[in-house]
Amino acid sequence: MRVDDKYARFAIAALFLLGGIYAFLVRGESWPWTLEQISLGPHHSQIAHARLEAAFLEDEYDEALIQGLSEDIIAMTPLSPAPYEALLLLEIEREEVRDEMVATLARATLAREARSLSARLFIIDQATFQGDWDTVFDEFSTISRLWPTEAGALMEMLYESLDDEAWIPVFRTYLQTETPWVERFVQGVPVDQIGVEVAIELHQPFEDLHATLLRKLNQSFGLEAVHEAWSALQPAEAEKAKFGLVAPDFAPSTALQPFNWTIDDSYAEYDRNSGLYITYRGSGRPVFAAQLIFLEPGQHRLMSQLSEKPSDPPGDVVWNIRCVEDGRDLVDVSLFDPAFESDAILFDFEVPEDCAYQRLALLGFPGRFTRRFNVSIGSIGIEQLGKTP
């Protein structure tokens, strides 16, 4: 009789288990077991997790089924993050999202699994909508550390929300840290959304981003903004360029472009003994060296000293100063002009009021024949003779 009772209990348990699996896997009904019935076997939670994952893979999944599965898994294994993530996904997709419920489910997920990317993304999304930038950047810092490859895409999403200037004071606290993502974030911030002053402030700690910032400011705001940023980022270099000219002896300088020499190394190079050393065959129209300058309106004098000059050059080498705004030539003087009896070149010119920025360039012009020749320019200087009244 005892044997019969034993087999009877076993048969009932087996039927109950099979019935539950049938109802769950075939009919799609909610998991039938309660906490007291978990002792029937150790694999019920695993099956429920698998079914929950499969439910999300369906093209049109059953929300009620996922809700029931999630609640049953929470009852069976309350420490598992999966059902909380599932409910979180359902909550986000509601027509009227309940923010408090989202926050609760996200916190519940993270309490069970700190590496839940979906929960952290939902927290960032909600915090961005609410303007809670402390939470946004705190979570973004965590994501950048745990999932570096995901941080880039998330940055692009955050940039679209930066029209609210409330994020700027919060982000300032991160500028003092050495967190890698901070520099990456600054590098991608759209400068046209944050303005010149904020852009300068955010880029100030990152010297390797300064040149990129000037290019972006030029595209979005023009040369005046570029000049402002350069003066703020490199005040010592800007102070040296009192008459708008950097490195009059052509020596290497740390000044940023475009306020520094751009030298075409296929024709010219710096020589510490002779200045700018040029090799030219009298063919083509090269720009040997150029930089952006900012002379004030009024009378000026260009002064250039040659260290070496050919006797019969087949081409011409010319100092040219042109208004950036409209391309007007202010200076166009040849180094080989016979009017200059010595190796010193002096040329007076006037800068009009509507010419705030100028391009100083040393240009080559071809002659009637080609032959290699060399020119050495020791220095170039510009002196202001008088201001426009």
Side-chain angles (χ1 to χ4, degrees):
M1 185 65 182
R2 291 179 181 176
V3 175
D4 293 340
D5 290 342
K6 176 182 178 182
Y7 280 105
R9 287 195 300 272
F10 179 83
I12 293 172
L15 288 173
F16 189 91
L17 176 60
L18 291 173
I21 294 175
Y22 173 78
F24 178 67
L25 297 178
V26 179
R27 298 178 56 190
E29 295 176 358
S30 181
W31 195 262
W33 285 284
T34 63
L35 279 173
E36 291 77 13
Q37 296 167 326
I38 295 177
S39 59
L40 286 174
H43 305 298
H44 299 164
S45 178
Q46 296 177 18
I47 296 174
H49 276 81
R51 180 56 177 160
L52 180 61
E53 182 177 354
F56 268 101
L57 294 177
E58 297 291 336
D59 292 336
E60 296 182 2
Y61 56 81
D62 188 336
E63 294 186 10
L65 172 61
I66 294 174
Q67 181 84 23
L69 288 171
S70 301
E71 293 174 353
D72 288 331
I73 294 174
I74 290 173
M76 287 186 288
T77 53
L79 297 182
S80 170
Y84 296 94
E85 288 182 323
L87 292 175
L88 187 57
L89 286 167
L90 289 179
E91 186 64 32
I92 290 296
E93 293 187 2
R94 287 170 56 95
E95 291 186 5
E96 296 183 4
V97 179
R98 296 171 293 184
D99 292 340
E100 190 60 36
M101 180 64 73
V102 170
T104 300
L105 291 170
R107 286 194 297 268
T109 303
L110 292 178
R112 290 151 180 81
E113 175 53 76
R115 296 181 65 91
S116 173
L117 176 60
S118 58
R120 294 193 181 277
L121 289 176
F122 290 138
I123 288 176
I124 286 181
D125 182 71
Q126 186 180 47
T128 303
F129 179 76
Q130 296 174 346
D132 182 3
W133 292 102
D134 286 285
T135 298
V136 170
F137 290 124
D138 185 54
E139 289 295 330
F140 185 80
S141 180
T142 301
I143 289 176
S144 299
R145 177 170 46 84
L146 296 178
W147 301 278
T149 57
E150 303 290 341
L154 181 56
M155 280 186 188
E156 295 299 326
M157 295 171 57
L158 287 180
Y159 293 149
E160 298 177 0
S161 306
L162 297 185
D163 52 344
D164 176 11
E165 295 184 359
W167 68 273
I168 298 172
V170 178
F171 189 75
R172 284 192 180 105
T173 61
Y174 289 88
L175 290 176
Q176 313 304 321
T177 69
E178 297 182 359
T179 310
W181 71 266
V182 175
E183 182 173 351
R184 288 183 58 200
F185 187 86
V186 170
Q187 186 175 10
V189 171
V191 296
D192 56 338
Q193 290 184 225
I194 61 177
V196 178
E197 292 185 6
V198 174
I200 294 172
E201 177 188 1
L202 297 187
H203 286 77
Q204 184 84 52
F206 310 109
E207 188 173 343
D208 56 336
L209 299 183
H210 290 177
T212 302
L213 172 63
L214 295 193
R215 288 193 294 270
K216 290 181 178 180
L217 290 176
N218 188 33
Q219 294 173 356
S220 298
F221 299 102
L223 288 176
E224 186 175 348
V226 175
H227 192 184
E228 179 184 347
W230 181 54
S231 300
L233 297 173
Q234 291 188 319
E237 294 288 353
E239 181 63 24
K240 293 178 186 177
K242 291 184 178 179
F243 294 106
L245 180 63
V246 169
D249 59 353
F250 305 99
S253 169
T254 58
L256 295 168
Q257 298 289 354
F259 305 101
N260 198 354
W261 289 111
T262 299
I263 296 177
D264 187 342
D265 57 10
S266 61
Y267 294 95
E269 62 180 349
Y270 168 71
D271 184 279
R272 63 180 181 178
N273 297 317
S274 58
L276 187 67
Y277 183 76
I278 296 173
T279 300
Y280 184 40
R281 293 183 56 84
S283 63
R285 296 175 177 268
V287 179
F288 301 116
Q291 71 169 273
L292 184 73
I293 58 177
F294 41 96
L295 304 175
E296 295 182 357
Q299 292 290 325
H300 295 76
R301 174 172 293 166
L302 180 145
M303 303 166 290
S304 187
Q305 183 69 39
L306 301 185
S307 304
E308 178 183 348
K309 182 170 69 172
S311 58
D312 186 22
D316 205 0
V317 179
V318 173
W319 276 120
N320 177 269
I321 298 180
R322 176 176 298 178
C323 289
V324 173
E325 289 85 349
D326 55 19
R328 280 175 293 169
D329 285 331
L330 306 180
V331 174
D332 204 36
V333 56
S334 169
L335 275 59
F336 310 137
D337 191 326
F340 305 119
E341 297 180 357
S342 67
D343 292 336
I345 297 171
L346 298 176
F347 187 85
D348 293 348
F349 64 99
E350 182 176 359
V351 176
E353 292 187 1
D354 58 347
C355 182
Y357 295 94
Q358 309 85 34
R359 179 177 180 262
L360 169 65
L362 187 64
L363 309 177
F365 291 92
R368 290 175 296 176
F369 60 94
T370 62
R371 185 184 72 240
R372 176 176 172 175
F373 67 93
N374 299 319
V375 181
S376 293
I377 305 174
S379 63
I380 170 74
I382 299 176
E383 177 184 2
Q384 186 169 14
L385 302 178
K387 295 185 177 181
T388 300

